[in-house]
């Protein structure tokens, strides 16, 4: 069982940066694939970035490649999402998620645990 809590969202101007944090409880945190998804109003939940337990393998959605960086600290049970060069189209609720599927899936049904989400708003 993993409990996830996101923080770090807010309002930022286009071109700015934000860093999201996901705090996880549970002694087996390092066993899970961790990911960030986002969902804008009227749109489906979209894969943003994911990372394997080792931290050495990552995957990114096409729309954020080169701008966002995911990392994890297993000792602190934390996953971070550094978001740079933000655009208005990045505006969404961002969710942290955990999966037991070690193939690092990119679709929401493959994730077993979810946080409550944090709002990110990018103004033009």
């Amino acid at each position: 069982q993993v409990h996830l809590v996101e923080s770090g969202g807010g309002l930022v101007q286009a071109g700015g940066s934000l860093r999201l944090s996901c705090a996880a409880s549970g002694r087996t945190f390092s066993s899970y694939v961790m990911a960030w998804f986002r969902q804008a109003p009227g749109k489906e939940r979209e894969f943003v970035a994911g990372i394997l337990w080792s931290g050495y393998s990552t995957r990114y959605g096409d729309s954020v490649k080169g701008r966002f960086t995911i990392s994890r600290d297993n000792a602190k049970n934390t996953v971070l999402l550094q978001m740079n060069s933000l655009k208005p189209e990045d505006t969404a609720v961002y969710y942290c998620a955990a999966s037991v599927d070690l193939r690092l899936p990119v679709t929401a049904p493959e994730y077993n645990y979810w946080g409550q989400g944090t709002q990110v708003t990018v103004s033009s």
Side-chain angles (χ1 to χ4, degrees):
Q1 186 79 15
V2 177
H3 181 60
L4 305 173
V5 179
E6 303 96 335
S7 61
L11 174 64
V12 64
Q13 289 188 332
S17 299
L18 278 176
R19 189 176 73 169
L20 303 183
S21 180
C22 174
S25 63
R27 292 183 294 177
T28 59
F29 170 76
S30 61
S31 301
Y32 291 88
V33 166
M34 300 299 298
W36 289 93
F37 285 75
R38 66 186 182 187
Q39 189 166 19
K43 295 188 176 181
E44 293 191 354
R45 196 162 293 193
E46 175 191 15
F47 176 81
V48 175
I51 188 168
L52 290 183
W53 69 271
S54 65
Y56 291 115
S57 184
T58 58
R59 183 174 290 174
Y60 294 92
D62 289 341
S63 61
V64 306
K65 283 180 182 177
R67 299 188 298 123
F68 291 11
T69 302
I70 188 172
S71 61
R72 68 189 292 167
D73 185 337
N74 289 337
K76 296 181 178 179
N77 283 10
T78 300
V79 178
L80 300 176
L81 184 68
Q82 179 66 43
M83 305 186 295
N84 298 328
S85 302
L86 283 161
K87 305 175 182 179
E89 50 264 43
D90 294 318
T91 296
V93 177
Y94 283 70
Y95 297 90
C96 179
S99 175
V100 299
D101 188 340
L102 299 184
R103 295 171 295 177
L104 214 171
V106 298
T107 52
E110 276 64 56
Y111 283 80
N112 310 93
Y113 303 102
W114 294 84
Q116 82 289 347
T118 185
Q119 176 71 46
V120 172
T121 303
V122 184
S123 62
S124 57

